[in-house]
Amino acid sequence: MAAHRLVCNTVLALLILLTGFSLLRAANAKYHLLNTYKFGAAEGSTREYFDYITVDSAARRVYLSHGTEVKVLDADNGALIGNITGLKQDHGVAIASEFGRGFISDGEQGKVVIFELKTLKVTGETKADKDADCIIYDSFSKRVFVMNGDPHTSTVIDAKSGSVVGTIELGGGPEFAVADGKGTIYINLEDKSEIVAVDSNSLKIKSRWPVAPAGGPTALAMDVAHHRLFSAGRDPQMLVVIDSESGKVLQSFAISGGVDAAAFELETGLIFASTREGMVHVFHEDSADKFSEAETIKTEIGAKTMGLDTKTHKIFLDTADFAPTPAPTKERPHPRGAAIPGTFRVLVYGR
């Protein structure tokens, strides 16, 4: 009997040791490139353009803004499920699963295109405004919020009917926005270096907060459970952690240039910020009041847009090849080489 207990205890100790080792190895694992998916030029496009990436983790789909089309991929194997075409310059995709609908912002046409999630068939459109850019769905109000950059407004659409229910004057140029699912929309105002908080039912502005020491904020993510906003700016190049109830900046980190997307994953406590310089800066939420640098993932130049798959913990980025950088001019003191048509690709990183 004693021998039997000794064997059982030894096996249990080994299992605990192996489990601990596996967990430690997983925690220390670094993100690395898993897959690259290459695609040709967008139908009807004369240039290579790409913007927001939306991952629907539950439905296992990835929506890629690709100029005149939205490409829809299988999140598990990268297979092309379909293209939504006929656009002019699309930017973002918002998913309203409870209504079986998706919404695409088309900045050149100043409108929102509505499609059926099941078939990807376009079923209608709604007027927004010029430079319609970021677009999000708020499950609390059942509304879609479109950020119109140049007019400094947000067009608000009822997700069920597809009709416009209001327009919000923001007082600055909106970039990324996030919804807390409890009735508040938070929006980065790039030209004002502010975050504005909006009531998603009354459409009234509740608060305005500076994002200093960051500036020119673009990317925005949120930890809803702990009331933390992660706003990343380009001038100065910083990511700041902000209390979403008080607007107080709690911590800040330096990042590389051209940040354009951010994401937060509650399960791992990781915050991601992707930049045009080909870096994804990863931070960890040690506690609600303490954050640390976890790692920096070297990706590819131009891979500034990103989507997070919360089921597999993978991140999706896209980029292309670029022409040589032209000489600076008075009108364009900091020029960039144009993306080369037909070189669009998706990069998948994981542990």
Side-chain angles (χ1 to χ4, degrees):
M1 194 70 174
H4 178 72
R5 281 198 299 269
L6 179 61
V7 171
C8 289
N9 290 338
T10 301
V11 170
L12 180 61
L14 284 171
L15 286 173
I16 292 172
L17 183 64
L18 288 171
T19 301
F21 177 75
S22 297
L23 291 173
L24 180 63
R25 186 172 61 180
N28 292 331
K30 299 296 184 181
Y31 273 83
H32 58 279
L33 182 65
L34 299 176
N35 288 296
T36 300
Y37 306 126
K38 298 181 179 181
F39 300 96
E43 181 181 320
S45 178
T46 58
R47 67 188 183 110
E48 189 64 83
Y49 181 86
F50 45 93
D51 206 346
Y52 293 87
I53 300 175
T54 301
V55 181
D56 185 344
S57 295
R60 311 308 303 140
R61 286 185 172 185
V62 181
Y63 295 85
L64 307 169
S65 168
H66 189 216
T68 58
E69 66 180 4
V70 169
K71 304 192 86 66
V72 186
L73 309 186
D74 185 302
D76 295 309
N77 58 29
L80 181 64
I81 295 172
N83 287 330
I84 303 170
T85 59
L87 306 164
K88 292 295 184 182
Q89 184 170 308
D90 58 271
H91 290 276
V93 178
I95 304 299
S97 300
E98 59 195 296
F99 299 110
R101 284 177 156 185
F103 300 80
I104 304 167
S105 57
D106 189 321
E108 187 168 321
Q109 298 187 90
K111 69 181 183 181
V112 171
V113 174
I114 304 170
F115 67 95
E116 187 178 75
L117 293 178
K118 186 176 181 180
T119 64
L120 304 181
K121 179 182 178 181
V122 172
T123 58
E125 61 182 54
T126 301
K127 189 180 188 313
D129 208 337
K130 58 184 179 181
D131 197 23
D133 194 351
C134 172
I135 184 169
I136 64 168
Y137 174 64
D138 173 42
S139 60
F140 184 86
S141 63
K142 315 299 183 187
R143 291 169 170 174
V144 174
F145 290 76
V146 190
M147 304 302 137
N148 306 311
D150 292 341
H152 295 183
T153 63
S154 175
T155 301
V156 186
I157 301 167
D158 179 86
K160 185 176 181 179
S161 68
S163 301
V164 174
V165 297
T167 301
I168 308 168
E169 298 288 340
L170 297 172
E175 273 287 336
F176 260 70
V178 294
D180 69 356
K182 301 175 182 178
T184 303
I185 309 296
Y186 298 92
I187 306 164
N188 269 341
L189 300 184
E190 185 177 16
D191 59 335
K192 300 295 184 182
S193 291
E194 292 180 339
I195 286 180
V196 61
V198 175
D199 186 295
S200 65
N201 275 327
S202 69
L203 307 185
K204 302 295 184 183
I205 292 175
K206 303 195 297 183
S207 304
R208 289 183 184 276
W209 303 316
V211 298
T218 52
L220 186 64
M222 185 175 189
D223 174 0
V224 173
H226 299 106
H227 312 287
R228 297 293 181 258
L229 292 164
F230 309 104
S231 178
R234 296 179 177 179
D235 186 20
Q237 297 168 187
M238 305 282 288
L239 178 138
V240 294
V241 183
I242 298 174
D243 186 314
S244 67
E245 296 181 307
S246 68
K248 180 182 178 181
V249 174
L250 304 174
Q251 208 167 338
S252 62
F253 298 92
I255 57 175
S256 53
V259 64
D260 206 48
F264 172 74
E265 186 173 52
L266 181 62
E267 184 178 340
T268 60
L270 294 179
I271 305 115
F272 303 85
S274 55
T275 74
R276 182 179 287 111
E277 288 188 16
M279 304 285 183
V280 176
H281 300 272
V282 187
F283 306 94
H284 184 259
E285 187 178 68
D286 304 327
S287 71
D289 296 312
K290 185 177 184 299
F291 300 80
S292 60
E293 295 185 48
E295 66 172 298
T296 299
I297 310 165
K298 181 71 176 72
T299 61
E300 293 186 20
I301 294 296
K304 62 188 178 66
T305 58
M306 174 182 59
L308 169 67
D309 182 0
T310 55
K311 180 179 178 181
T312 65
H313 315 299
K314 296 175 184 177
I315 54 174
F316 292 78
L317 302 103
D318 51 18
T319 189
D321 293 337
F322 293 86
T325 302
T329 64
K330 185 178 180 180
E331 293 75 22
R332 295 188 65 196
H334 305 290
R336 299 190 200 97
I340 299 172
T343 64
F344 178 65
R345 57 187 174 272
V346 177
L347 312 173
V348 186
Y349 287 81
R351 288 178 163 178

